[in-house]
Amino acid sequence: MTPALLLLMVLSADPRGGAGTTDCWKACQRHVQEAPLRAKLCRLCIIQGGTTEWVLKLGEVKPVPQSSLRSALTDEDWRIRWAAVRASAKARGVPEPRALAEWVTETQARADLAACLTAARAAAEAGSTPSAFLQGAGDKGAAAASRVQARKDAIRTALEVELYAEDVGTRLRALSHLATFLKAPAARVVLDAMEGRPESADKAVAGALLAYAERNELSVGKMLVDAAQPPDQARVNRLFALYSEELQALQQELASSDATLRAGAVRKLRLYGPLAQRELERALQDADTHVRQAAARGLAQAEGLTLLQAAGKRLQTGAELAIQRPWLEALAHEKTCQAALLTLAEDPRQPVAVRGEALGQLSECDGNPQERAQRVAPFLKEAQPPLRAGALRALSGPWSGEVGEVLTPALGDPAPEVVVAAVDTAVFKRKTGMADDIAALLGSEHAEVRQASARALERLGKDRHVKALTEALRKDTVAAVRVSAAQALGQLGGPFAVSALSEAAAKDPDTHVQHVSREALKRLGFSNR
């Protein structure tokens, strides 16, 4: 079997054997002439993948194969050239910036573009400018930086060409390097690169800017708005037209009945910023909390604000809870959530419903249990039910003290929303000792309390609670209560449960109750009923 055929078979079988692996192999074969060394090094392209591993290994070979290193310095790929510089530095025991500066300054001025371009890109890869990167290069650092600066226009031209490369990774690296090298915003770099180029090529740079925004958690819309000047209007409109087409393609996912698809679509919308303002505002009212949180983060990103800043800006308006809830939900997942939510809850200028929701969102939030208990406890005795309910829900999170002592008396609260909060928190805390008290709530005059009770017994209930649940399934006038009772009976089981579920599956006037009862029977092994 020939080496070429063996390589083809390996690349076909190995999932890492893509274009990068093939290019790595070809470069190694091109620059390493000694057959034994070539066989040893080129296999790294297949074993480790990547592009430069074989070059870096040259610096460890004794004696150092100088001809291979010199040859690698002439490669078209800057990464191979930079790897050759690094390998040489390692072999000589000198800092990499010094080896780079020596290469730049020792190359004839008329042929130093490759060296200067390598220096510019190596510096940008490290997040630095050439002058800063070469400060550690010794006495030749300043001269090398000056040579690179003299080649600024040629370097810009070379990198702008790569902005239109076929490979998106190549375009993204070129954009990132250009922005760092020129000390300019990425959107400014793209707009300048578009000048004089045909509109048919816009898709490449639009994709590069979108990839840059995704990597840096920015939005292309805001980047372009911030960077654009009046003469750029036509080019900005060309990019906006492309992004509008992409937004249109997301509409089907945004309308999906699958919340996971909708949340994924909203996360994509975040990359477009102000261009997706309408879609993000609509997603704030989605039925799914994950979609709402993603929309809140997207709007904050579109405005160039942190989530805390964007939420604070909106929460100052005193708007009703339905509008503020997504921001409170998103805040609950921030590092400083406890302080922010408690500050809102304690602010008498905020609507009571918003303050209560801020307390409730503490259950999703990490924080100091002692401080939380100290500041939340007073709300348990507040006159307004939303504040008492929110404080009870806060008990689901980190808490200092025994929650049962607070939850048990709350089950007798005159406000149904407070009782529901106590029941839900008991379930979250797995307070099985409260199951009998919760089962008694199936006789409450409030439908929301009866539903919360039935829902809780699915998790906390015992065999002795089946009778009360069967009564609820057969006689409760509210379909939502009967649904929760059927689900609980499907979990607890037993002959009385099977009988009640069979009756509901056949006779309940509500089709959803029938469906849930049939599914509960299947769970109990009675699929033919």
Side-chain angles (χ1 to χ4, degrees), residues 306-368:
T306 66
L307 182 65
L308 284 170
Q309 291 170 332
K313 174 182 171 184
R314 285 163 173 80
L315 290 166
Q316 289 175 3
T317 64
E320 62 183 21
L321 178 58
I323 295 174
Q324 306 290 29
R325 181 176 283 116
W327 297 98
L328 294 170
E329 291 171 336
L331 270 182
H333 296 277
E334 291 292 287
K335 288 183 179 179
T336 57
C337 57
Q338 178 164 299
L341 291 170
L342 284 170
T343 298
L344 277 169
E346 293 166 345
D347 186 352
R349 295 170 298 179
Q350 291 290 341
V352 170
V354 171
R355 295 171 65 195
E357 182 69 19
L359 287 167
Q361 287 298 329
L362 284 167
S363 63
E364 301 292 326
C365 176
D366 293 330
N368 183 285

Side-chain angles (χ1 to χ4, degrees), residues 122 186 281 382 497:
E281 293 281 3
E382 275 282 355

Side-chain angles (χ1 to χ4, degrees), residues 474-525:
R474 285 178 171 137
K475 298 180 180 179
D476 202 285
T477 57
V478 177
V481 178
R482 301 200 300 276
V483 165
S484 294
Q487 290 171 329
L489 288 170
Q491 183 66 37
L492 296 176
F496 292 109
V498 172
S499 175
L501 288 167
S502 299
E503 182 182 337
K507 300 179 180 178
D508 195 281
D510 187 274
T511 56
H512 186 45
V513 176
Q514 293 179 21
H515 171 73
V516 172
S517 297
R518 284 193 293 269
E519 291 301 310
L521 284 168
K522 288 180 183 178
R523 189 188 309 161
L524 295 173

Side-chain angles (χ1 to χ4, degrees), residues 206-419:
L209 191 60
L210 194 66
Y212 183 93
E214 182 174 16
R215 191 183 70 176
N216 293 281
E217 296 186 350
L218 302 169
S219 74
V220 290
K222 186 167 192 319
M223 291 166 68
L224 286 167
V225 168
D226 289 347
Q229 300 171 1
D232 303 319
Q233 191 60 54
R235 280 167 281 168
V236 170
N237 289 342
R238 282 156 52 182
L239 292 174
F240 278 5
L242 288 172
Y243 294 138
S244 295
E245 291 177 12
E246 295 169 8
L247 287 173
Q248 188 64 35
L250 287 172
Q251 295 303 319
Q252 186 173 354
E253 293 179 38
L254 290 169
S256 171
S257 59
D258 186 338
T260 303
L261 279 179
R262 297 200 306 276
V266 171
R267 282 191 288 272
K268 295 174 187 173
L269 287 177
R270 285 155 53 173
L271 295 175
Y272 298 92
L275 298 176
Q277 182 86 17
R278 182 180 59 182
E279 290 83 358
L280 289 170
E281 293 281 3
R282 189 180 302 135
L284 275 180
Q285 305 307 316
D286 194 275
D288 185 82
T289 180
H290 295 97
V291 177
R292 297 195 297 269
Q293 289 177 42
R297 293 182 183 281
L299 287 165
Q301 188 171 308
E303 296 171 16
L305 302 174
T306 66
L307 182 65
L308 284 170
Q309 291 170 332
K313 174 182 171 184
R314 285 163 173 80
L315 290 166
Q316 289 175 3
T317 64
E320 62 183 21
L321 178 58
I323 295 174
Q324 306 290 29
R325 181 176 283 116
W327 297 98
L328 294 170
E329 291 171 336
L331 270 182
H333 296 277
E334 291 292 287
K335 288 183 179 179
T336 57
C337 57
Q338 178 164 299
L341 291 170
L342 284 170
T343 298
L344 277 169
E346 293 166 345
D347 186 352
R349 295 170 298 179
Q350 291 290 341
V352 170
V354 171
R355 295 171 65 195
E357 182 69 19
L359 287 167
Q361 287 298 329
L362 284 167
S363 63
E364 301 292 326
C365 176
D366 293 330
N368 183 285
Q370 287 77 23
E371 180 189 5
R372 180 175 301 189
Q374 182 181 10
R375 293 175 67 178
V376 169
F379 290 100
L380 293 167
K381 299 178 181 179
E382 275 282 355
Q384 298 98 328
L387 296 180
R388 298 200 302 277
L392 288 167
R393 294 189 184 281
L395 301 181
S396 298
W399 187 261
S400 175
E402 173 51 49
V403 298
E405 297 175 357
V406 178
L407 294 176
T408 299
L411 295 179
D413 196 283
E417 64 192 281
V418 177
V419 179

